[in-house]
Amino acid sequence: MSIEIKKSNCHYCGYLCGFNATVEDGRLVALDPDPDRYPYDPSVIARCRRWRMNLTEIDGAGRINYPLKRVGERGSGQFERVTWDEALDDISKRLLDLRERYGGKTLASAIGGPHATYWPLHRFLSLYGSPNNMGIGQICWNPRVWMDAVTCGWPTEQEVDPNLTKAVILWGTNPAESDNSLFWSVLKQMQESGVPLIVVDSRLSRTARAADYHLMPRPGTDCYLTLAMMNVIIEEDLYDHAFVKNWCYGFDGLRAHVAAYTPEVAQRETGVPADDIRTVARVFANAEPAVLLSGRGVDQLGPNTPPTVRSFSILRAITGNIDKRGGCYIQDMSDFTPEVELEMTDRLSEEGRAAQLNLGHSPLQSYPGYDGVDAETARLGKHLPVRYLTSAHPGLVFDAMVTGDPYPVKALIVMAANPIVTYANSHKVIEGIKQLDLMVVLEYYMTPTAQLADYVLPIAGAFERPVCQVHGGVANFAYGGAAAVKPYHERKTDYEVFYGLACRMGQQDAWPDATLDAAYDRMFADAGCTFNQFAEAGIYAPPVRYHKHVDRDPETGIGYAFSTPTGKVELKSTYLASLGGQAYPAPVDEAIAHADVDAGRAVLITGARKQPYWASSYFQNPEFRTLHPEPLVTINEATCRRLGVAEGDWVELSNERGCVRQKVTLGTLPDGVISAEYGWWYPEETPGLPHLSGALRCNINVLTANDIENCEPMIGSWTYNGLTVNVRRAEGEPSPETDAY
Ligand SMILES: Nc1nc2c(c(=O)[nH]1)N[C@H]1C(S)=C(S)[C@@H](COP(=O)(O)OP(=O)(O)OC[C@H]3O[C@@H](n4cnc5c(=O)[nH]c(N)nc54)[C@H](O)[C@@H]3O)O[C@H]1N2
Ligand SMILES: Nc1nc2c(c(=O)[nH]1)N[C@H]1C(S)=C(S)[C@@H](COP(=O)(O)OP(=O)(O)OC[C@H]3O[C@@H](n4cnc5c(=O)[nH]c(N)nc54)[C@H](O)[C@@H]3O)O[C@H]1N2
Ligand code: SF4
Ligand SMILES: [Mo]
């Protein structure tokens, strides 16, 4: 018997904690937290419920171990085992045929959250000729990256420095539930030493409960709050005069723009007392330095997302917190090969570019929109990743599948995503999938989405493959590590799947490496190390440079930061205005939802994170299901009374798209606002249509929508927070018999 200890990483959340893995004859048998590798901390391990799951799930009952091919009708849930060669030969042949008939644009892809390495998929699409990669970027990550890019010239990284930072605002984010890392404990320690914690959240979240100040705006009204804070900071002369004078563009216009948005106006629109707005604005402006961090709460407000998120860049700027230690820094391009090169979007044909399903709808999130920003960042040798930031709009892609308009989308590759549960409008997603000629899903489990595939390909997970998290390649920062064991059964890495297809489809010149290890070696060569050297340390993070905006390149005389058209932080955005967008951020009233409780209508927020689950994942874990057995909708007591429901009741939540059931729990939210969990399905239940393992019974995305006409006009953000829904008491318990498809 051989026993080895291997350094490897957990991948049950984005932290990729390092473990010493005991491997017996190629099988993972024990895990010990590795104190020598980032981001080790005993409290992280103590708090985390997931890491032990690696030991069972690596060969868990529900894992997919062999390539599976559909037999019978789509949706029958019937699959047979095939060899990799059979699967890849057939998929590549069908993809080539479809391209012949409809052009490369007929292939779309769907990705999920940041739990996988997506550039191999994107490289494959670039060479195949498809611009139609889609994901959830428009409501996760992209708003922040885009708004920072147009305002400051490049994404900023908010940096809480326990020794320097004097105040922290968390806006629409709930790290007490969503962030397993050290971050939340650090914040609490800082709070004990007197650093005020301000939370802006439409619920009394776990994070908000710990706050020194909690502002609870009605969903979607946040932009009124940000503008009122600017109003106070400018009126009371609390802004950073030197930074504003030397490094900001458009301050006088901003002053005029925010004059109307007084705290009293904001109180009327948001429900937050004017005095609280004043207090928080003063605390933030007087703290030097201060951090303002935002999350999904504000990324998912549809038309109100970009103005709100851009306000954050402006608030940081006028308080002098940009490119300052303890506030935020302007990230650097990576030393290792950045995502933008790995994905090879420069190989996409003109014809492919011109066919993207967002053109004419989201001028910023598109190839031309990207090019305009890139023209500025290129002066400093920086390039944002293209694929995420130009990704096609899921509303348009699923419409094209259903209607064939503007052209047929006949093939879909789903990688590390479960769109039937996590994308907007589950029924539309299913209708689209039903029209496909070919759907391939790369998965660990037979998710509701995988149940509708033509092929389900078994993917190697944590400890079976190397991992490397690089933040989309917008920063000089990577963490991760090596595999501990060879993939079990016949699983392969996502990379190897695309490599296998590429080799069968004439893309060999773009794929010099047969394995992900080799590809990572090549990627780190630019940084002067091998992947194994990186993996030993678990992190690549050269020291951060601050205050770059005052530096000049000695040869060219070009400043390092703020690669905007004016070379300054653009409080007034020349670029957004040139695309027909808002020069100064302003709330979009038509997109703010209103409740009518007595008529049974509430304002719904969805998706607030919960432990121990992650999106639609880990519902197969019996221990987790005992801890958290039911999908919960949180409502305040007074609203419950008016709706005629009580704690513990099952309620029906419905709108024109459908109806789902969740169980009432009491909490603190504004009157008429309710918060429903997302991600629910029941892996133990019957797969295939119509039940799809219960995916339509409690999954809140049955009610959400992303029709392009209701999305934000620059990026295409849709609304997961702030929808109106009907609420009423349900008869009995939900069961498979109540499934509605
Ligand atoms: N209503 C509502 N909807 C939301 C949100 C919300 O707040 N409200 N949040 C949105 C956000 S921010 C996100 S990020 C998405 C998350 O949405 P998804 O990413 O679609 O959901 P997950 O359940 O995290 O993961 C999907 C699948 O990926 C598989 N998987 C994990 N790692 C890998 C891998 O390395 N390779 C492969 N091939 N498969 C892998 C898992 O088995 C899982 O089934 O949901 C979005 N949807
Ligand atoms: N346990 C767990 N952790 C996760 C995930 C998970 O699924 N489960 N998902 C991961 C992923 S993909 C992501 S993107 C991150 C997201 O992590 P976070 O950004 O922390 O996202 P949420 O937990 O959804 O927190 C959003 C908060 O915004 C509030 N909110 C809703 N609407 C509004 C509004 O209109 N205004 C304001 N001000 N607040 C509002 C909600 O009440 C909620 O508390 O978490 C990651 N971590
Ligand atoms: S914090 Fe995340 S990466 Fe670390 S052990 Fe827990 S689930 Fe795994
Ligand atoms: Mo996300």
Side-chain angles (χ1 to χ4, degrees):
M1 182 172 31
S2 86
I3 298 188
E4 295 169 282
I5 307 291
K6 294 275 186 85
K7 287 178 180 299
S8 194
N9 300 66
C10 174
H11 206 329
Y12 281 138
C13 84
Y15 286 94
L16 311 186
C17 292
F19 285 84
N20 288 316
T22 307
V23 177
E24 241 177 60
D25 292 332
R27 309 231 0 133
L28 178 72
V29 295
L31 287 176
D32 292 293
D34 180 355
D36 294 334
R37 273 182 305 151
Y38 169 86
Y40 176 79
D41 189 90
S43 69
V44 171
I45 296 301
R47 213 153 59 91
C48 174
R49 290 189 199 279
R50 297 192 194 123
W51 62 271
R52 285 189 184 80
M53 197 168 55
N54 284 294
L55 288 167
T56 47
E57 286 303 310
I58 193 167
D59 209 8
R63 280 291 297 269
I64 295 168
N65 299 327
Y66 308 99
L68 298 174
K69 181 180 184 179
R70 172 168 69 80
V71 289
E73 300 250 300
R74 190 184 298 289
S76 63
Q78 305 286 312
F79 291 86
E80 68 179 13
R81 179 176 167 182
V82 292
T83 66
W84 272 106
D85 277 337
E86 284 170 317
L88 295 180
D89 287 349
D90 188 42
I91 293 167
S92 52
K93 183 181 163 302
R94 288 164 71 177
L95 283 174
L96 289 170
D97 287 350
L98 285 168
R99 184 169 67 186
E100 197 65 26
R101 281 179 64 192
Y102 302 107
K105 62 193 181 210
T106 201
L107 170 62
S109 68
I111 64 168
H115 33 238
T117 299
Y118 292 118
W119 59 258
L121 164 69
H122 291 154
R123 182 185 295 179
F124 176 77
L125 292 174
S126 295
L127 283 117
Y128 179 83
S130 169
N132 288 324
N133 56 289
M134 61 176 164
I136 37 67
Q138 286 92 341
I139 50 83
C140 177
W141 200 68
N142 294 16
R144 192 165 65 78
V145 171
W146 274 129
M147 292 302 109
D148 259 1
V150 300
T151 309
C152 311
W154 194 255
T156 61
E157 181 75 15
Q158 319 323 310
E159 186 204 42
V160 174
D161 182 327
N163 300 316
L164 289 175
T165 306
K166 297 291 190 305
V168 177
I169 302 188
L170 300 177
W171 204 308
T173 182
N174 179 21
E177 298 262 6
S178 67
D179 190 326
N180 282 18
S181 79
L182 257 190
F183 177 67
W184 179 234
S185 356
V186 168
L187 281 186
K188 288 207 292 198
Q189 281 162 20
M190 288 169 65
Q191 222 186 341
E192 276 163 29
S193 63
V195 175
L197 176 65
I198 300 155
V199 173
V200 186
D201 195 303
S202 305
R203 283 181 314 143
L204 183 65
S205 64
R206 245 174 77 194
T207 302
R209 234 177 276 147
D212 299 289
Y213 307 91
H214 173 208
L215 310 186
M216 195 163 72
R218 285 190 286 265
T221 63
D222 297 76
C223 193
Y224 279 101
L225 270 187
T226 57
L227 296 175
M229 284 176 64
M230 292 177 207
N231 173 300
V232 172
I233 290 167
I234 295 173
E235 286 295 308
E236 299 189 2
D237 201 19
L238 303 176
Y239 61 95
D240 183 328
H241 285 250
F243 189 81
V244 163
K245 175 162 175 282
N246 297 323
W247 296 106
C248 294
Y249 168 75
F251 182 73
D252 290 338
L254 181 73
R255 180 198 290 271
H257 176 69
V258 301
Y261 296 96
T262 60
E264 282 67 27
V265 169
Q267 172 172 336
R268 191 183 68 215
E269 301 296 332
T270 65
V272 177
D275 284 345
D276 292 358
I277 301 172
R278 287 200 170 82
T279 305
V280 161
R282 289 173 192 143
V283 170
F284 181 67
N286 287 326
E288 207 183 319
V291 166
L292 193 172
L293 251 154
S294 70
R296 293 308 84 77
V298 287
D299 283 355
Q300 307 184 337
L301 302 178
N304 279 297
T305 284
T308 305
V309 175
R310 208 171 93 74
S311 296
F312 300 146
S313 307
I314 295 176
L315 274 168
R316 292 180 195 115
I318 62 173
T319 53
N321 280 304
I322 288 186
D323 201 14
K324 181 191 248 177
R325 191 182 276 273
C328 73
Y329 59 90
I330 308 280
Q331 296 180 326
D332 276 312
M333 257 333 248
S334 57
D335 298 335
F336 47 87
T337 318
E339 187 106 4
V340 62
E341 280 179 41
L342 296 169
E343 64 187 17
M344 296 191 185
T345 302
D346 54 343
R347 300 277 301 265
L348 178 66
S349 64
E350 271 309 313
E351 188 196 346
R353 280 174 66 104
Q356 191 169 47
L357 288 171
N358 62 26
L359 286 180
H361 295 283
S362 53
L364 181 59
Q365 167 115 358
S366 66
Y367 290 121
Y370 175 93
D371 289 345
V373 169
D374 193 62
E376 303 297 333
T377 64
R379 285 190 286 115
L380 301 181
K382 291 169 140 187
H383 305 278
L384 292 164
V386 188
R387 285 277 173 174
Y388 297 130
L389 291 168
T390 59
S391 58
H393 197 277
L396 293 168
V397 175
F398 284 103
D399 273 345
M401 287 178 199
V402 174
T403 64
D405 186 41
Y407 52 79
V409 170
K410 286 293 184 187
L412 176 67
I413 297 177
V414 178
M415 172 181 163
N418 187 6
I420 290 177
V421 183
T422 58
Y423 281 28
N425 201 343
S426 311
H427 285 281
K428 167 88 74 77
V429 172
I430 296 170
E431 289 312 310
I433 289 173
K434 283 169 76 178
Q435 302 305 317
L436 292 170
D437 283 358
L438 177 67
M439 170 159 151
V440 179
V441 175
L442 284 64
E443 252 299 346
Y444 302 157
Y445 295 98
M446 196 46 94
T447 62
T449 305
Q451 292 166 20
L452 296 186
D454 295 278
Y455 282 97
V456 184
L457 302 178
I459 298 302
F463 297 96
E464 298 177 292
R465 53 145 193 217
V467 287
C468 184
Q469 174 69 262
V470 296
H471 291 279
V474 301
N476 194 15
F477 184 62
Y479 51 98
V485 294
K486 289 212 163 54
Y488 284 17
H489 309 287
E490 288 186 11
R491 299 174 197 154
K492 286 183 190 289
T493 60
D494 293 295
Y495 178 91
E496 287 164 325
V497 174
F498 294 108
Y499 176 81
L501 290 174
C503 289
R504 287 169 172 80
M505 294 172 70
Q507 299 187 7
Q508 288 91 333
D509 74 302
W511 298 82
D513 302 302
T515 64
L516 183 56
D517 278 289
Y520 279 153
D521 253 344
R522 185 182 302 274
M523 173 176 140
F524 277 98
D526 286 342
C529 64
T530 62
F531 181 67
N532 279 340
Q533 284 165 339
F534 158 77
E536 240 348 83
I539 183 164
Y540 181 88
V544 169
R545 293 185 305 146
Y546 300 87
H547 244 68
K548 289 196 282 266
H549 63 281
V550 296
D551 296 341
R552 302 267 135 193
D553 184 303
E555 274 166 29
T556 63
I558 295 177
Y560 286 110
F562 310 147
S563 41
T564 58
T566 57
K568 294 191 169 182
V569 177
E570 295 204 346
L571 308 177
K572 176 181 185 181
S573 175
T574 46
Y575 191 54
L576 281 180
S578 77
L579 298 176
Q582 298 174 336
Y584 293 104
V588 181
D589 288 330
E590 310 81 77
I592 296 174
H594 297 278
D596 183 350
V597 178
D598 297 321
R601 244 189 327 281
V603 172
L604 172 71
I605 61 180
T606 69
R609 270 60 180 163
K610 58 196 179 291
Q611 293 286 350
Y613 301 115
W614 174 287
S616 70
S617 295
Y618 317 146
F619 287 89
Q620 80 284 357
N621 182 316
E623 189 191 316
F624 291 4
R625 290 282 290 285
T626 309
L627 278 169
H628 192 134
E630 324 271 18
L632 299 175
V633 54
T634 312
I635 311 182
N636 83 26
E637 216 170 343
T639 306
C640 271
R641 242 179 280 120
R642 284 167 65 201
L643 289 167
V645 301
E647 176 148 49
D649 281 353
W650 285 94
V651 288
E652 283 180 12
L653 307 173
S654 66
N655 62 15
E656 63 277 24
R657 281 172 292 282
C659 174
V660 295
R661 298 180 179 210
Q662 298 209 352
K663 196 171 194 167
V664 175
T665 179
L666 295 180
T668 306
L669 309 91
D671 281 331
V673 177
I674 70 177
S675 169
E677 293 180 350
Y678 94 118
W680 280 88
W681 63 291
Y682 302 92
E684 69 280 10
E685 288 188 11
T686 319
L689 287 169
H691 289 297
L692 291 176
S693 302
L696 300 173
R697 198 185 313 145
C698 305
N699 152 28
I700 202 66
N701 279 324
V702 165
L703 306 183
T704 60
N706 56 9
D707 306 295
I708 195 74
E709 55 281 11
N710 296 322
C711 291
E712 187 276 338
M714 289 288 116
I715 299 179
S717 310
W718 54 92
T719 305
Y720 281 149
N721 293 322
L723 311 152
T724 43
V725 287
N726 305 309
V727 189
R728 64 167 207 199
R729 211 163 153 266
E731 297 303 322
E733 301 246 326
S735 72
E737 286 70 52
T738 64
D739 280 358
Y741 171 73

